[in-house]
Amino acid sequence: MAALATIQDPGTPVGKALAKLDESADADAAKALAAELIAAIKGPDKWPQKTKTLFEAIPYVVERKTDNGLLAALITIGGLADSMGPAAEPFLTSGLPLALNAACHKNGGVREAASSCATSLISLLYPALNFVLPMIFDAMQQEKNWQTRCLAMSLFTVCAEKGKQQLKFCLPQIIPELTPCMTDTKKEVKKAAKAAMSAILTVAGNSDIEPVLEDLVSCIMKPKLVPELMHKLGGVVFVQTIDSAGLAVMVPLLVRGLRESQTAVKRTTAVIIENMSKLVENPIEAAPFLPLLLPALQKAADSVSDPEARAVTDRALKQLTRLQNEIAKVGDVGKTDVALVDGIVREGFKLKKVDGAFQVSLTYLCSILGNMIDCSVRTKETWGSVIPPYVNSFLSNDEITAGVPDIVTKCIELIKSIPEEEEEADDKEILADVEFTLAYGTKILLHNTKLKLKRGNRYGLLGPNDCGKTTLMRSISEGQIEGFPPPTELRTVFVEADILGELSHLTCTDYVLADPRIQSDGITREQVREALMTNHFNEKMLDDGVSTLSGGWRMKLALSRAMLLKADILLMDEPTNHLDVMNVKWVKDYLLSLTHVTCIMVSHDSGLLDDVCSHIIQIENLKLHMHPGNLSAFVLKVPEAKSYFEISASKQKFLFPQPGPLDGVKSKGKALMKMEGVSYMYPINKHYTITGITVQVSLSSRVGCVGPNGAGKSTMIKCLTGEVEPTIGTRWAHPSLRMAYVAQHAFHHIEQHLAKTPNEYIRWRYQNGDDKEAMNKVTLKLTMKKKKMVNTAFEYLWKDENEKQHKEMRKVEKLTMMRRNVKGSKEFEYEVKWVNKNQDDNTFLSFSRLKKQGFEKWMMMVDQKIAARAGMYVRALTTGNVEKHLEDVGLDREYGTHFRMNALSGGQKVKVVIGAAMWNQPHVVILDEPTNYLDRDSLGALANAIIEYEGGVVIITHNDEFCRTICPERWVLEKMGDGIGRLDCQGDPEWMTNALNTKIEFTQAEEMVDAAGNVTKVKQEKKAMSRKEEKAYKKRLQAKIKNNEPLESDEEEYAINNNLKD
């Protein structure tokens, strides 16, 4: 009865009701007394008095011992919770343990009242869920009665309906407490826990994980289902921001996945961790989970034996370590000290002494405010609405109005955040200041990132291939960035060298005039021609088709058009691609002259970025990071970016397939391709483009082809590869040569197949055992004169079995794709099928005889098919083999097998083209400007792959560092006074002499893998016998034949070839 002493008058309605709490005769009386007490507390008094009454009365109410007294107390607290609002919350919290513990009461009426009371309380108290969670967790402990535990867990379901946001913030605390209950031995507890878990997971608010929430619950109850769910999650494309709630849901499952014994499950789990960690917007929210994930991931990385899987876990570790480093910048990221908040509130309201009811309300309020700080609530209006209800009973409106703003400001200042990059202080005009997310297909490129652009700045956009550089610039130019100023306010022009196919027939002048923006600006033909001539186009070039331009002149054409458009923002994708040294300087000077135009450029030319850029924008972990200064200044801050300067700093590795042996080629210096006295004139021109070209290529060749734009480098290479036929002179290639050619405009190889994946494209290209690209060359197509020759009958002589000679006029129907060596001759014989003759009448004719009749190109096709099939033998054309091959040239299997080529970046497309060309294990690789679109890491990997490659290499490039790294021999092509390109061959004489004399030591394939994964041993070429050995071998075979003994296959073949058998 101690509490009654504090009530002003026991004769008052409240005091009178309290005095009778333990005296109710039955349940009906208890219910009536509860109604009386509720009415008395809610009575006519104003809130200050009501608060005092609650403060004094509730402790007495919860101390009831008798059954009916307990029933009345539960009904009273539940009724007050239903009707009194936020001001009553601090005083009713003590009723929650009473209700939870009463759930196991022997009296059914009390149990029912306890359930109702607990539901009413949580419906009122959910804004302070963090405050009452310890009470709920205490009731869930295993030593508690099962009814109490079930009621406690059911409150989470109520919160999922009433207070989703508060429940979401508390998921990191709730899930670890609820999980053990799901495997409890008591079926009622297990059922209640499953229902509660299913309910709370729905508030996580992440649409990426929503489809697997039911599976998640099942996995907690049945851990053996974890591997299957991990594989299912491996196919999820994560795009939503990952917050503490999402991590709370996923981390327990991820830890279990890392502990699985199967390497595939560990690898998939690591991939998920890597992808999710990139989407963590606030690293501080990940802080509670890193102590769980990091050790588990480290242990998995140490236990995985597969190198590729270990590399995946290392990448995931790198991402988690990044988060850890970001968190370290903040320091203490634990929960906010409520005492600190209490001091802010007291100072804001100028409180000197607080006790009694005010102290209870103040403690409760500070708990709520501390939780809001931890949840990073920054909206001042929300803060302003939370505080007053809990202090209205103790302070005047003026005091509240005066104190709240200062309290809100200081509390928001306590919110922990990662320090943002410092912004430069200048008075330059801000052209754009946006925050956005950017995706391409199903791939997130940038996530909730900020971009601020100022007039006159020159930004270099850096990042690895596939990170979204070109997509970002294209999205800016097409107005697809949310919040970016529209074209009516800010003109952006995107400059790229690729000419659209539908415009390739236009002249240079008409190409510029075809741009709708040029037309809308009223720019005349004369102005266009004047602008082009200012940029060194001559009169003839103005009226030539854009398809005749070299890569360098195409870039100058695109820049000229951009200059006419007077852009506010110039977006440039590889502006120095295809340009020689002089034109690169011209681009640099032009960009430096733009003081009122903002430039954003993507380039792998470190010299350009160093000489021109005022800022570097780095794309890393789905964010844009702004760094003042040029590339050198950026490298000082980010040393790993050194790979943008030095090819040798590359961390990537490409692997080219090694070529196989060639008939008759014993040294690396023997010519495999050569041209003598070659000149070429394009059909539309009146003068030769190149003249007097004599070169040869062998397995030892490491040739860099250099020269100014328009000198004819690409034309010379097209003659060498057979893409075009020389106007004058001869071209020859070894009959069994396999050659890989990547053209200057590399995308032309794949432009008709953009709807295919890279894997599908390679399998299509080689599906019949030969290279469809090689079969399309001009040099393999018959002229009208040759067609007439091959369709003309010629005299054929042969002898019958009686050695009688016959002759007949015959026509060749086709070559059968069979070819053989003739002993004592350096030329092949080809099997022909005659018109109107049976297959038994097929005959082998010599190369010279068939050439005389016009069949040279037919024989070249046979040679190429046989060469291609020889290269195909070691690897079956399967999805798996092609996938591995593409990975060897730097294209991840995700892009190689699952992305269509129209969704790939420029760098990825170049890798596809290189990979496709290298599939059939060529003896010679010819690359025309391979460095375009490749970042420095990929460039270094390409250089190292070429150095390790055993075949011949010819490269056209303006990248001097790349050329000198791998090419001791140089072909310098320059135009003379008559405008015709002539060649000067240069090189290191000592290296060339050694290379030419190097003996070939090809490693012959020992086994091949077919489409079903079967491994077949490859028959090895036998060592040549000496004369003495061959004589003894022949004698032994003759004896076996005479005695009718069976011969081995090798012996049978030798006997036939040497006429030992009749």
Side-chain angles (χ1 to χ4, degrees):
M1 300 290 289
L4 283 175
T6 64
I7 300 297
Q8 291 181 350
D9 182 358
T12 62
V14 175
K16 182 180 176 182
L18 286 172
K20 296 186 292 184
L21 266 179
D22 278 331
E23 298 173 6
S24 302
D26 54 28
D28 289 338
K31 292 175 183 177
L33 182 59
E36 180 186 338
L37 184 55
I38 291 169
I41 293 174
K42 289 174 60 179
D45 294 331
K46 294 189 179 298
W47 260 110
Q49 183 56 45
K50 288 181 183 179
T51 303
K52 184 179 180 183
T53 302
L54 283 167
F55 171 67
E56 295 175 340
I58 296 303
Y60 181 80
V61 172
V62 299
E63 290 175 1
R64 295 311 90 212
K65 304 298 182 187
T66 66
D67 291 356
N68 289 330
L70 180 58
L71 177 61
L74 292 168
I75 295 172
T76 299
I77 294 172
L80 292 172
D82 288 337
S83 58
M84 292 204 70
E89 291 175 24
F91 310 102
L92 296 177
T93 55
S94 58
L96 188 57
L98 176 72
L100 293 172
N101 289 324
C104 60
H105 200 278
K106 60 186 179 184
N107 186 306
V110 172
R111 293 198 301 273
E112 186 179 339
S115 176
S116 177
C117 177
T119 301
S120 296
L121 280 171
I122 203 66
S123 299
L124 174 70
L125 299 174
Y126 70 81
L129 181 59
N130 195 57
F131 186 83
V132 298
L133 271 181
M135 305 174 192
I136 300 174
F137 292 159
D138 182 66
M140 290 166 53
Q141 299 308 304
Q142 197 166 12
E143 63 269 15
K144 295 288 185 180
N145 192 283
W146 68 267
Q147 291 97 332
T148 294
R149 299 175 72 191
C150 290
L151 178 58
M153 289 184 284
S154 71
L155 299 184
F156 294 132
T157 305
V158 178
C159 289
E161 298 172 1
K162 301 275 187 180
K164 292 183 178 181
Q165 200 61 33
Q166 289 77 7
L167 182 61
K168 179 181 178 180
F169 287 143
C170 293
L171 284 185
Q173 298 162 258
I174 297 171
I175 290 177
E177 294 287 341
L178 192 56
T179 299
C181 299
M182 296 181 68
T183 54
D184 198 88
T185 54
K186 192 74 175 175
K187 65 178 181 180
E188 289 85 356
V189 173
K190 188 187 293 187
K191 183 179 178 181
K194 182 180 179 181
M197 184 66 81
S198 298
I200 67 172
L201 292 183
T202 61
V203 306
N206 190 306
S207 58
D208 295 335
I209 8 178
E210 278 177 9
V212 297
L213 289 180
E214 288 185 17
D215 297 321
L216 265 168
V217 175
S218 300
C219 280
I220 295 172
M221 304 185 77
K222 297 179 180 178
K224 66 180 181 180
L225 299 177
V226 168
E228 185 58 35
L229 179 55
M230 294 314 303
H231 288 304
K232 189 173 181 179
L233 279 168
V236 172
V237 179
F238 289 95
V239 296
Q240 298 290 312
T241 298
I242 301 295
D243 54 17
S244 59
L247 289 167
V249 171
M250 291 296 297
V251 165
L253 177 70
L254 295 173
V255 171
R256 286 193 178 188
L258 292 171
R259 290 173 181 168
E260 288 291 325
S261 58
Q262 301 171 36
T263 296
V265 178
K266 290 179 180 177
R267 182 193 180 280
T268 302
T269 306
V271 169
I272 296 167
I273 291 172
E274 180 190 9
N275 292 338
M276 289 183 66
S277 59
K278 289 179 181 177
L279 297 171
V280 174
E281 189 68 23
N282 183 4
I284 294 172
E285 294 190 29
F289 305 100
L290 292 183
L292 295 171
L293 274 179
L294 270 171
L297 187 56
Q298 184 63 64
K299 187 175 180 181
D302 294 340
S303 64
V304 168
S305 58
D306 178 60
E308 193 273 338
R310 191 161 55 248
V312 171
T313 56
D314 287 342
R315 291 203 309 266
L317 272 172
K318 183 179 178 182
Q319 285 298 327
L320 292 187
T321 304
R322 175 186 65 83
L323 291 177
Q324 193 174 48
N325 293 338
E326 290 290 312
I327 294 165
K329 296 177 184 177
V330 181
D332 179 22
V333 291
K335 289 192 173 296
T336 302
D337 185 356
V338 177
L340 188 60
V341 180
D342 184 271
I344 291 173
V345 175
R346 289 172 184 269
E347 183 182 348
F349 288 135
K350 297 180 171 53
L351 304 176
K352 295 180 180 178
K353 185 179 180 182
V354 177
D355 55 18
F358 196 1
Q359 182 60 60
V360 173
S361 279
L362 186 60
T363 302
Y364 184 81
L365 172 62
C366 290
S367 175
I368 293 176
L369 299 184
N371 193 47
M372 290 175 69
I373 293 170
D374 293 335
C375 295
S376 301
V377 178
R378 297 180 182 273
T379 310
K380 290 189 175 182
E381 291 76 10
T382 303
W383 283 85
S385 65
V386 167
I387 298 173
Y390 303 105
V391 295
N392 275 333
S393 298
F394 313 102
L395 300 172
S396 67
N397 287 336
D398 289 342
E399 289 175 313
I400 294 172
T401 304
V404 166
D406 186 52
I407 294 170
V408 169
T409 300
K410 289 183 176 178
C411 284
I412 291 177
E413 288 175 356
L414 290 180
I415 296 175
K416 302 175 181 73
S417 59
I418 306 296
E420 292 191 2
E421 296 166 356
E422 292 185 12
E423 189 177 332
E424 285 182 293
D426 57 39
D427 56 357
K428 289 186 178 180
E429 178 189 354
I430 297 174
L431 298 182
D433 188 2
V434 293
E435 184 172 347
F436 62 97
T437 292
L438 180 67
Y440 194 100
T442 58
K443 181 179 173 62
I444 293 292
L445 301 173
L446 295 167
H447 183 71
N448 289 355
T449 192
K450 296 178 181 178
L451 175 64
K452 181 181 283 190
L453 302 175
K454 294 184 178 182
R455 187 175 292 281
N457 285 350
R458 296 177 295 278
Y459 301 96
L461 185 58
L462 297 188
N465 277 350
D466 320 334
C467 71
K469 301 183 294 292
T470 302
T471 304
L472 172 60
M473 293 204 299
R474 196 178 298 281
S475 298
I476 291 174
S477 72
E478 295 176 358
Q480 296 174 344
I481 299 295
E482 186 178 355
F484 204 89
T488 53
E489 298 176 16
L490 200 67
R491 172 169 279 189
T492 60
V493 177
F494 189 27
V495 181
E496 55 182 344
D498 285 339
I499 305 295
L500 295 175
E502 60 267 26
L503 301 178
S504 60
H505 66 286
L506 298 176
T507 66
C508 293
T509 305
D510 290 335
Y511 177 78
V512 176
L513 285 168
D515 191 304
R517 293 167 298 180
I518 293 283
Q519 297 171 14
S520 63
D521 285 357
I523 296 173
T524 64
R525 174 177 286 270
E526 288 68 31
Q527 289 173 305
V528 169
R529 295 177 73 87
E530 182 182 348
L532 290 174
M533 293 182 74
T534 302
N535 292 329
H536 309 117
F537 283 78
N538 58 38
E539 287 280 357
K540 179 179 179 300
M541 294 173 72
L542 295 181
D543 298 317
D544 281 347
V546 292
S547 59
T548 66
L549 295 179
S550 68
W553 282 104
R554 290 188 183 196
M555 179 54 75
K556 292 186 78 169
L557 178 64
L559 280 168
S560 301
R561 179 177 61 178
M563 292 162 70
L564 281 166
L565 288 169
K566 298 188 169 108
D568 294 301
I569 298 178
L570 205 56
L571 306 165
M572 310 181 78
D573 190 8
E574 302 290 356
T576 58
N577 268 9
H578 311 292
L579 296 183
D580 56 25
V581 175
M582 293 303 296
N583 281 314
V584 168
K585 184 179 184 303
W586 174 80
V587 172
K588 289 179 181 178
D589 291 343
Y590 170 66
L591 293 176
L592 289 169
S593 71
L594 300 175
T595 55
H596 295 287
V597 178
T598 297
C599 300
I600 304 177
M601 64 198 82
V602 171
S603 178
H604 298 119
D605 182 345
S606 55
L608 176 75
L609 298 176
D610 224 20
D611 295 341
V612 171
C613 291
S614 62
H615 294 74
I616 298 294
I617 302 175
Q618 180 192 19
I619 298 180
E620 185 181 37
N621 297 314
L622 310 184
K623 298 289 184 185
L624 295 174
H625 302 277
M626 186 75 70
H627 300 270
N630 63 2
L631 185 61
S632 294
F634 171 63
V635 168
L636 289 176
K637 292 168 63 177
V638 187
E640 55 266 29
K642 190 178 181 183
S643 62
Y644 284 104
F645 278 117
E646 300 176 3
I647 288 177
S648 59
S650 173
K651 295 178 182 177
Q652 285 193 43
K653 182 175 177 63
F654 289 0
L655 184 65
F656 284 173
Q658 297 300 341
L662 272 169
D663 293 332
V665 179
K666 303 300 180 185
S667 73
K668 284 197 168 186
K670 186 167 184 177
L672 302 182
M673 306 171 70
K674 60 185 177 182
M675 295 193 299
E676 294 182 355
V678 165
S679 300
Y680 183 78
M681 182 192 300
Y682 282 99
I684 61 172
N685 289 348
K686 297 179 181 178
H687 303 286
Y688 287 109
T689 301
I690 55 172
T691 189
I693 305 296
T694 298
V695 293
Q696 72 176 36
V697 180
S698 65
L699 289 169
S700 65
S701 294
R702 289 292 185 276
V703 180
C705 186
V706 296
N709 288 129
K713 301 184 296 297
S714 295
T715 302
M716 179 180 71
I717 293 301
K718 286 179 179 179
C719 290
L720 179 63
T721 60
E723 294 289 313
V724 297
E725 196 158 8
T727 309
I728 298 175
T730 59
R731 169 200 175 268
W732 173 86
H734 189 286
S736 297
L737 175 72
R738 295 190 297 275
M739 179 191 66
Y741 172 55
V742 177
Q744 182 184 59
H745 307 295
F747 301 158
H748 98 81
H749 294 281
I750 58 174
E751 61 189 7
Q752 304 300 322
H753 309 280
L754 295 178
K756 295 183 177 76
T757 67
N759 200 309
E760 290 170 342
Y761 166 67
I762 291 177
R763 286 186 285 120
W764 167 84
R765 179 168 165 177
Y766 293 96
Q767 66 184 348
N768 296 324
D770 46 45
D771 183 357
K772 289 188 175 70
E773 287 267 344
M775 296 297 109
N776 286 328
K777 290 179 182 174
V778 172
T779 47
L780 295 182
K781 295 177 181 177
L782 297 179
T783 62
M784 292 302 295
K785 181 179 177 181
K786 293 288 185 184
K787 284 182 180 178
K788 186 175 180 181
M789 286 180 68
V790 300
N791 286 319
T792 302
F794 59 92
E795 187 178 83
Y796 172 63
L797 302 174
W798 81 97
K799 292 181 180 179
D800 59 20
E801 59 273 13
N802 299 318
E803 295 295 315
K804 183 179 179 181
Q805 184 167 301
H806 301 270
K807 64 179 179 179
E808 184 180 8
M809 298 297 291
R810 291 188 180 183
K811 285 172 64 176
V812 174
E813 180 181 322
K814 64 179 181 180
L815 301 189
T816 66
M817 302 301 158
M818 295 295 290
R819 184 186 72 184
R820 71 183 184 186
N821 288 307
V822 180
K823 196 169 184 179
S825 173
K826 292 185 177 180
E827 63 179 27
F828 288 112
E829 288 187 344
Y830 297 81
E831 185 182 42
V832 300
K833 166 77 170 63
W834 301 105
V835 173
N836 299 325
K837 297 288 182 181
N838 295 327
Q839 193 146 341
D840 293 340
D841 295 321
N842 287 2
T843 311
F844 279 92
L845 297 182
S846 68
F847 175 86
S848 54
R849 178 69 188 276
L850 286 169
K851 182 180 179 181
K852 183 179 178 182
Q853 300 303 137
F855 289 94
E856 184 177 8
K857 293 185 179 181
W858 284 25
M859 291 185 288
M860 288 171 64
M861 289 180 68
V862 172
D863 292 339
Q864 291 204 2
K865 284 178 179 287
I866 292 172
R869 287 168 186 172
M872 294 281 289
Y873 179 66
V874 178
R875 291 181 299 181
L877 191 66
T878 65
T879 300
N881 285 345
V882 174
E883 191 173 80
K884 173 66 171 62
H885 174 72
L886 287 170
E887 285 184 327
D888 285 343
V889 293
L891 190 68
D892 186 80
R893 66 181 60 190
E894 181 69 19
Y895 300 104
T897 304
H898 303 293
F899 273 58
R900 288 185 175 184
M901 289 191 286
N902 56 14
L904 300 182
S905 68
Q908 290 169 326
K909 287 177 181 174
V910 170
K911 291 175 183 177
V912 172
V913 173
I914 292 174
M918 298 299 295
W919 170 257
N920 68 343
Q921 301 169 272
H923 300 100
V924 173
V925 178
I926 298 179
L927 304 169
D928 193 348
E929 294 283 8
T931 59
N932 296 336
Y933 297 101
L934 291 180
D935 60 24
R936 278 281 162 150
D937 262 1
S938 298
L939 210 54
L942 177 62
N944 291 330
I946 289 173
I947 289 170
E948 295 174 7
Y949 177 61
E950 292 291 339
V953 179
V954 178
I955 299 174
I956 297 178
T957 179
H958 292 300
N959 188 319
D960 191 59
E961 180 192 2
F962 181 81
C963 182
R964 292 187 182 277
T965 299
I966 58 177
C967 298
E969 184 180 355
R970 293 157 71 86
W971 295 347
V972 182
L973 195 66
E974 292 184 291
K975 282 189 175 181
M976 299 294 108
D978 55 6
I980 301 174
R982 289 176 173 82
L983 185 67
D984 177 22
C985 294
Q986 304 173 358
D988 180 342
E990 184 179 350
W991 177 89
M992 294 170 71
T993 302
N994 292 336
L996 291 173
N997 296 327
T998 303
K999 188 177 179 181
I1000 297 176
E1001 294 180 357
F1002 284 122
T1003 303
Q1004 189 172 352
E1006 296 180 358
E1007 58 183 35
M1008 70 160 287
V1009 182
D1010 65 15
N1014 301 313
V1015 178
T1016 305
K1017 295 294 179 183
V1018 176
K1019 181 180 173 183
Q1020 300 295 305
E1021 187 177 329
K1022 290 196 171 185
K1023 185 179 177 182
M1025 294 182 286
S1026 65
R1027 286 188 179 181
K1028 187 175 180 180
E1029 289 171 333
E1030 186 174 10
K1031 186 176 180 181
Y1033 182 69
K1034 188 184 292 187
K1035 189 174 181 181
R1036 190 164 60 251
L1037 283 188
Q1038 287 172 330
K1040 290 179 79 173
I1041 293 169
K1042 185 176 180 181
N1043 298 328
N1044 291 321
E1045 295 178 24
L1047 301 180
E1048 299 286 341
S1049 58
D1050 290 347
E1051 294 172 334
E1052 183 81 29
E1053 185 180 345
Y1054 183 88
I1056 292 172
N1057 291 337
N1058 290 274
N1059 299 316
L1060 300 183
K1061 294 182 74 175
D1062 296 332

